[in-house]
C-alpha cells in the first residue's frame, strides 16, 4: 500500500514537472523573435518581406523599383512592395507624385515613410512616393559609371590591332538624370608585302543628355548633345544639339522601355570635298530615340538603343545609330560585355576624288567592363 502511494506521488510529481517544462518552453517560444541586426552607420539597411536583412548602399528608386548595392550580393533591383523596412545611413532626397521634394535620413517601416532632418521627423504617404536618390549633401553618391575595353591582337601571317574603348558616367537625383558616354573605335593592320601600316577604322563618339522628370511617365530632355569624328566617313567633326520630350512606355522591375522625340540642329565639317562643294553643312532636323533594357536573369542584362536624325541631304540625310548587347556579371564589379553596333548614313559626302564612303558600318565587340 505504502509502495503504491509512493509510486503515485512520484508519478504525479514527474507529470507536473513535465507539464511545467513544456508550458515554459511554449511561452518562451511564443516570445522569441528573429533578431534585428545592429545598424552600423557604414551601411544602408533593407529588410525584405521574407524577413531577410541586407546591408549596402541605396542607389536609387524610381516607379517602385529600388536599386540596392548589397555588400555581399552586389547590385539588386527590388520591388518596393517587397521592402518591409528601409533605413539610410545618410541623407536621401525623395520626390513625391505631387512634386514635393524633401531630404533627410530615410526610414520606411510598417508601410510608413519618414524623413529625419535636424532632429525633426516628418511623415509622408508611402503610396505617394515617386523616387529616391542620394541627397546633394553626399554628392559622390549621386554618381556612377563604367569603363569597357575590347582588344583584338593578331601576329603571324596577319598582323592586326583593333580596340574599342567605351566609358560613361551618370548622375541621378530624385528629379533629374545627367548622362555622358564616350566610344572610340580604332583598327589597323600591316601589309605583309611592303610592311605598310594601314588604318581601317578611326572614330570617336561623345554623347551627353540631361533629363528632368516631372511626371511618373513623362520627362523633358533639356539637353541632347553629340560630338563625333570618323575619318572613313569623311567627317572631320559633327556636332548635334537637341531637346526632346520622353515617355516611359514600360517601367517595371525587370523591363524598361523609353522613347523620346524632339527638334535638333546639326553642324558637320568634312575632311575632303570636291572643288565646288562646301566643306561644312548646317541643318535643322528632328531626332527620334528609344532605349530598352531587360533583366534576363539576376546576372544577365540585355540592352538596346536606337536613334535616327532626320536632316537635309547635304548634311547626310537620315543618320541611324543602333546599339545592342548583353552584360554578364562575372565577379564583384566586373562584367563581360557583348555589344553589336550598326551605323548608317543615307547620303555620305564624297571626297575630292569622287570616292563615296560606305553607307553602313557594323561591328561586334567583346569586352571586359568595370562598373563603379
Amino acid at each position: 500500500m505504502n509502495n503504491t502511494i509512493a509510486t503515485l506521488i512520484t508519478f504525479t510529481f514527474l507529470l507536473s514537472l513535465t507539464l511545467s517544462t513544456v508550458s515554459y518552453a511554449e511561452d518562451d517560444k511564443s516570445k522569441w523573435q528573429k533578431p534585428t541586426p545592429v545598424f552600423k552607420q557604414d551601411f544602408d539597411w533593407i529588410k525584405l518581406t521574407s524577413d531577410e536583412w541586407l546591408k549596402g548602399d541605396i542607389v536609387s528608386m524610381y516607379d517602385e523599383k529600388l536599386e540596392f548595392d548589397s555588400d555581399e550580393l552586389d547590385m539588386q533591383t527590388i520591388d518596393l512592395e517587397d521592402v518591409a523596412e528601409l533605413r539610410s545611413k545618410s541623407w536621401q532626397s525623395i520626390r513625391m507624385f505631387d512634386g514635393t521634394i524633401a531630404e533627410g535620413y530615410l526610414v520606411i517601416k510598417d508601410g510608413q515613410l519618414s524623413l529625419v532632418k535636424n532632429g525633426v521627423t516628418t511623415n509622408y504617404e508611402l503610396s505617394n512616393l515617386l523616387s529616391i536618390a542620394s541627397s546633394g549633401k553626399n554628392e559622390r553618391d549621386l554618381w556612377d559609371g563604367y569603363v569597357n575595353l575590347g582588344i583584338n591582337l593578331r601576329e603571324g601571317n596577319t598582323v592586326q590591332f583593333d580596340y574599342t574603348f567605351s566609358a560613361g558616367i551618370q548622375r541621378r537625383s530624385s528629379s533629374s538624370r545627367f548622362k555622358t558616354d564616350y566610344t572610340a573605335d580604332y583598327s589597323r593592320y600591316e601589309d605583309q608585302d611592303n610592311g605598310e601600316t594601314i588604318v581601317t577604322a578611326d572614330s570617336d563618339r561623345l554623347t551627353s543628355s540631361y533629363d528632368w522628370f516631372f511626371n511618373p511617365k513623362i520627362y523633358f530632355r533639356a539637353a541632347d548633345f553629340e560630338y563625333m569624328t570618323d575619318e572613313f566617313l569623311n567627317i572631320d567633326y559633327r556636332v548635334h544639339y537637341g531637346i526632346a520630350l520622353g515617355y516611359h512606355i514600360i517601367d517595371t522591375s525587370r523591363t524598361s522601355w523609353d522613347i523620346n522625340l524632339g527638334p535638333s540642329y546639326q553642324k558637320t565639317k568634312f575632311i575632303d570635298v570636291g572643288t565646288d562643294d562646301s566643306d561644312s553643312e548646317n541643318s535643322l532636323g528632328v531626332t527620334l530615340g528609344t532605349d530598352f533594357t531587360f533583366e534576363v536573369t539576376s546576372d544577365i542584362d540585355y540592352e538596346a538603343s536606337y536613334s535616327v536624325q532626320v536632316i537635309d541631304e547635304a548634311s547626310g540625310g537620315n543618320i541611324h545609330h543602333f546599339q545592342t548587347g548583353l552584360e554578364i556579371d562575372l565577379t564583384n564589379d566586373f562584367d563581360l560585355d557583348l555589344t553589336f553596333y550598326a551605323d548608317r548614313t543615307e547620303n555620305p559626302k564624297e571626297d575630292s576624288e569622287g570616292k563615296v564612303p560606305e553607307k553602313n558600318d557594323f561591328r561586334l565587340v567583346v569586352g571586359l567592363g568595370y562598373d563603379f
Side-chain angles (χ1 to χ4, degrees):
M1 182 68 175
N2 291 336
N3 290 338
T4 302
I5 294 174
T7 301
L8 183 60
I9 293 175
T10 302
F11 175 77
T12 302
F13 174 75
L14 291 175
L15 178 62
S16 175
L17 181 62
T18 302
L19 293 175
S20 169
T21 303
V22 170
S23 176
Y24 175 79
E26 289 180 348
D27 290 343
D28 184 63
K29 182 178 180 181
S30 66
K31 295 178 181 178
W32 183 87
Q33 294 180 351
K34 293 182 179 180
T36 299
V38 177
F39 298 116
K40 295 182 179 180
Q41 289 301 105
D42 294 336
F43 302 99
D44 296 319
W45 290 86
I46 183 173
K47 180 184 180 182
L48 304 179
T49 52
S50 60
D51 283 344
E52 298 169 282
W53 282 96
L54 297 176
K55 64 180 181 181
D57 295 292
I58 298 171
V59 177
S60 67
M61 192 287 291
Y62 186 77
D63 202 15
E64 300 186 355
K65 291 190 307 180
L66 175 68
E67 290 188 354
F68 190 82
D69 189 5
S70 168
D71 189 48
E72 294 293 334
L73 304 177
D74 298 326
M75 188 66 71
Q76 300 292 311
T77 300
I78 304 169
D79 290 339
L80 191 60
E81 64 182 15
D82 295 328
V83 176
E85 191 169 337
L86 181 64
R87 296 174 180 269
S88 70
K89 68 177 184 296
S90 56
W91 278 27
Q92 300 290 318
S93 175
I94 65 170
R95 183 180 177 89
M96 315 301 286
F97 279 107
D98 60 10
T100 300
I101 298 177
E103 59 183 17
Y105 293 101
L106 175 69
V107 177
I108 295 177
K109 186 177 181 181
D110 298 329
Q112 299 294 320
L113 184 153
S114 302
L115 283 181
V116 181
K117 182 178 181 181
N118 300 325
V120 178
T121 300
T122 306
N123 298 316
Y124 298 88
E125 288 291 335
L126 182 60
S127 60
N128 193 34
L129 178 64
L130 173 61
S131 62
I132 301 173
S134 295
S135 170
K137 292 177 70 68
N138 308 282
E139 180 65 24
R140 71 173 185 173
D141 293 336
L142 299 175
W143 295 85
D144 60 72
Y146 70 93
V147 177
N148 182 279
L149 180 63
I151 295 179
N152 176 32
L153 294 173
R154 299 183 65 180
E155 294 286 345
N157 293 323
T158 301
V159 179
Q160 185 171 332
F161 171 64
D162 309 312
Y163 78 80
T164 297
F165 171 80
S166 59
I169 56 173
Q170 180 174 249
R171 182 188 187 275
R172 289 178 291 187
S173 71
S174 57
S175 59
S176 65
R177 174 179 60 195
F178 170 76
K179 187 177 182 181
T180 296
D181 295 282
Y182 170 75
T183 302
D185 183 42
Y186 180 81
S187 179
R188 70 168 188 256
Y189 73 93
E190 185 178 303
D191 191 315
Q192 296 298 294
D193 295 331
N194 55 27
E196 181 183 359
T197 298
I198 300 174
V199 177
T200 58
D202 188 4
S203 65
D204 300 271
R205 182 191 299 268
L206 175 70
T207 61
S208 185
S209 62
Y210 176 79
D211 298 329
W212 176 55
F213 303 102
F214 63 89
N215 184 281
K217 286 291 186 181
I218 303 173
Y219 62 91
F220 175 60
R221 179 154 292 181
D224 186 10
F225 171 81
E226 179 186 75
Y227 174 87
M228 70 146 323
T229 67
D230 192 329
E231 177 182 348
F232 293 89
L233 263 179
N234 194 24
I235 296 177
D236 186 19
Y237 66 83
R238 185 173 72 203
V239 181
H240 165 94
Y241 307 91
I243 59 174
L245 198 63
Y247 182 76
H248 295 300
I249 299 175
I250 301 175
D251 201 350
T252 67
S253 60
R254 296 187 61 186
T255 308
S256 174
W257 185 16
D258 297 348
I259 188 170
N260 57 79
L261 175 68
S264 61
Y265 168 79
Q266 182 171 290
K267 178 179 177 60
T268 307
K269 179 77 163 53
F270 300 102
I271 298 173
D272 184 24
V273 296
T275 305
D276 298 328
D277 293 332
S278 173
D279 66 350
S280 65
E281 295 288 347
N282 303 321
S283 174
L284 295 175
V286 175
T287 300
L288 171 67
T290 184
D291 297 285
F292 177 82
T293 62
F294 175 67
E295 183 182 329
V296 182
T297 69
S298 59
D299 295 325
I300 302 176
D301 294 327
Y302 171 75
E303 298 181 353
S305 64
Y306 168 76
S307 67
V308 56
Q309 301 170 22
V310 182
I311 55 177
D312 61 34
E313 290 294 317
S315 297
N318 297 342
I319 298 174
H320 307 260
H321 176 70
F322 177 68
Q323 177 179 332
T324 186
L326 294 173
E327 181 180 291
I328 305 171
D329 292 339
L330 297 178
T331 178
N332 295 327
D333 296 323
F334 289 93
D335 49 66
L336 178 68
D337 293 324
L338 292 82
T339 309
F340 174 74
Y341 299 88
D343 292 281
R344 177 179 174 83
T345 302
E346 293 289 349
N347 188 35
K349 191 80 166 181
E350 68 177 14
D351 61 19
S352 58
E353 298 179 352
K355 182 180 179 181
V356 181
E358 292 288 337
K359 293 183 178 182
N360 299 317
D361 281 310
F362 305 104
R363 64 186 187 276
L364 178 64
V365 178
V366 180
L368 179 66
Y370 174 74
D371 298 326
F372 58 89

